[in-house]
Amino acid sequence: MCGKLYVVATPIGNLADFSYRAIETLKNVDLIAAEDTRHVKMLLQHYAINNQLISLHQHNEEKVAPGLIDKIKQGLSVALVSDAGTPLLSDPGMPLVKLAKQEGVEVSPIPGACALIAALSVSGLSVTKFVFEGFLPRTSSARKSFFTTKKNETLTWVFYESSHRIVASLEDLAEVLPADRKIVVARELTKIYETVVNDSLGAVLEQVKIEPNMQKGEFVVLVDGAVVEKKADTITEEQERVLLILLKQCSIKSAVGMAVEITKARKKVLYQAALDLKNKEAE
Ligand code: SAM
């Protein structure tokens, strides 16, 4: 008897980015739970979808979720949509999906647009692994503290930003990260004024500050991971000389222990070098 909960992605700007399956699903479900019913009506009208709407947003979702899950358990199918993009990604929906899972209700995705994924796909930065940070803290001091924790992040990291804070956020970022760190600002993706700027943090900040248009719209900011210098895994000639003398007098373990004290080289590296020297001697 149990119905189903569909999590449906909607376009992030360009209405044509709406999948056939998403339209069919929104037409066929019993109920659409929408972040902003007035906003979603425009999209639904565009695709001639006349279906019952219920409001589910940040401030009522905890309250609304149990009733919706009851309806699904009674056999109704419900679609969850947010204002744009994929629900739950910096958008409402988590309590509903969590409860559905707890109650054994089937949850099915209708995938589509997501600003995060769209921005990553055109960023030119490494996307093999990445970290999504959502929206940043609102105050400058909290943002700078946050950026300090991200200074040595080696993966590409991404955050969402609004037109109100894009300059302030980039300024804070520039106070913490080196000016030559590569960043990407992806603005108004899929819309008329879509702009993707790839450059050093210093250059991007400059551009965003001097071009008023670069401060308008919606933004995804992507930051290249920090390059961590690899510690040397070879020993110097002098370290080798010390190690050789010690190896003549004592066991590998003791020789390495003393060599660490004398040369300050890493134990692991000295140990490997000691094994190599011993093997060479045996040949
Ligand atoms: N759930 C949405 C998604 O899947 O992308 C994100 C919703 S979040 C409330 C809205 C934020 O996403 C915006 O402030 C902006 O940072 C980013 N965003 C949404 N649409 C965008 C677009 N067309 N271009 C760039 N960023 C966008």
Side-chain angles (χ1 to χ4, degrees), residues 3 17 19 26 30 52 77 100 112 136 148 150 162 170 186 218 228 251 258 280 282:
D17 293 337
S19 76
L26 294 188
D30 296 295
Q52 203 188 329
S77 52
L136 300 185
T148 305
K150 299 299 295 178
S162 71
L170 292 178
E218 298 187 283
V228 178
S251 69
M258 282 189 273
K280 236 191 228 169

Side-chain angles (χ1 to χ4, degrees), residues 12-13 35 82 84-91 113-116 135 159-162 186-191 218-220:
I12 55 168
E35 184 181 7
S82 60
T86 302
L88 278 82
L89 274 287
S90 297
D91 264 344
C114 176
L116 163 70
F135 284 105
F159 61 92
Y160 281 167
E161 196 48 278
S162 71
R187 167 182 167 261
E188 294 289 86
L189 293 172
T190 78
K191 304 185 201 175
E218 298 187 283
F219 299 84
V220 183

Side-chain angles (χ1 to χ4, degrees), residues 227-241:
V227 179
V228 178
E229 271 179 42
K230 252 184 114 190
K231 286 188 187 147
D233 52 6
T234 52
I235 58 172
T236 63
E237 267 180 38
E238 176 58 14
Q239 287 163 347
E240 186 176 307
R241 193 182 70 80

Side-chain angles (χ1 to χ4, degrees), residues 113-135:
C114 176
L116 163 70
I117 302 301
L120 279 166
S121 71
V122 295
S123 69
L125 300 179
S126 171
V127 298
T128 318
K129 289 182 182 179
F130 62 86
V131 183
F132 176 51
E133 298 291 354
F135 284 105

